Amino acid sequence: QRHALLGQNGCRTMSSAFLLCAVVSCLLTLGQGQLGLDTEALLEELSNKVAALEDKVQQLEDAKSRRVAFSAYVSANSPSIAASHGADIIFDLPFDNIGDAYNETSGEFVAPYDGDYFFILNLDVSTSFGGIQMYLNDVYILKADKDDPTSTHVSASIVVAMKAGDVIDVRHMHSSGHLDAGHDSVFSGFLIN
């Protein structure tokens, strides 16, 4: 017997088949004449409502199974990583990687589903750091650099419509300065819908 969890309060509903059988049993026990109702029409209406509820439960289960979210930072094996024009920035230590869409070896995020995705970068950098670029399937879509030469942070965020199999990666924009390793240099993203 299948149960579906509904709501945050932990309430459970009986399976739709069990519920329908219970209603049919009650109607047959009471008899059409005693109720004064058209039993067949009532059963059809109840059956349609149960089918609609089953569809909604399936949609919720599908949405839950499509969860995609990651957050990763640059490991502190060395205190800083020298910028190299066009080189991928590898955020090699994931805090979390729900759905396994982020590859900490290549630094690439590969969309598992069609949808809208949100990405955010927050980097701790040297004052001479030249900036970063984000690419979708090797096409430049976002740039972030420092407007203030004394700044030591670069941040950027974007919403991207992606198809399953599309790839996002982050690269150095110039060969100047360095990126600090550790929890201050983080790349995150998640599926919105």
Side-chain angles (χ1 to χ4, degrees), residues 6-137:
L6 297 178
Q8 294 179 352
N9 62 3
C11 294
R12 294 189 179 266
T13 61
M14 293 181 282
S15 74
S16 54
F18 179 77
L19 180 61
L20 187 56
C21 287
V23 170
V24 169
S25 176
C26 288
L27 289 173
L28 293 175
T29 301
L30 292 172
Q32 182 176 348
Q34 291 178 345
L35 288 176
L37 299 172
D38 180 356
T39 306
E40 285 186 32
L42 183 59
L43 286 175
E44 184 177 341
E45 182 181 345
L46 287 173
S47 179
N48 291 338
K49 288 183 179 183
V50 167
L53 286 173
E54 286 179 330
D55 287 345
K56 185 64 176 173
V57 167
Q58 187 61 50
Q59 289 173 3
L60 292 171
E61 289 173 353
D62 290 347
K64 184 176 179 182
S65 70
R66 287 177 34 115
R67 288 183 54 213
V68 177
F70 78 95
S71 192
Y73 65 97
V74 177
S75 65
N77 292 336
S78 60
S80 64
I81 298 163
S84 178
H85 175 72
D88 285 325
I89 300 173
I90 310 295
F91 298 85
D92 58 333
L93 290 177
F95 290 108
D96 217 339
N97 194 6
I98 300 166
D100 294 321
Y102 179 73
N103 183 319
E104 63 266 17
T105 303
S106 68
E108 295 178 336
F109 173 86
V110 180
Y113 309 107
D114 292 0
D116 298 320
Y117 291 82
F118 178 79
F119 297 98
I120 186 166
L121 287 156
N122 185 38
L123 308 175
D124 193 25
V125 299
S126 66
T127 55
S128 59
F129 187 74
I132 57 98
Q133 292 176 316
M134 184 180 290
Y135 288 80
L136 170 65
N137 299 327

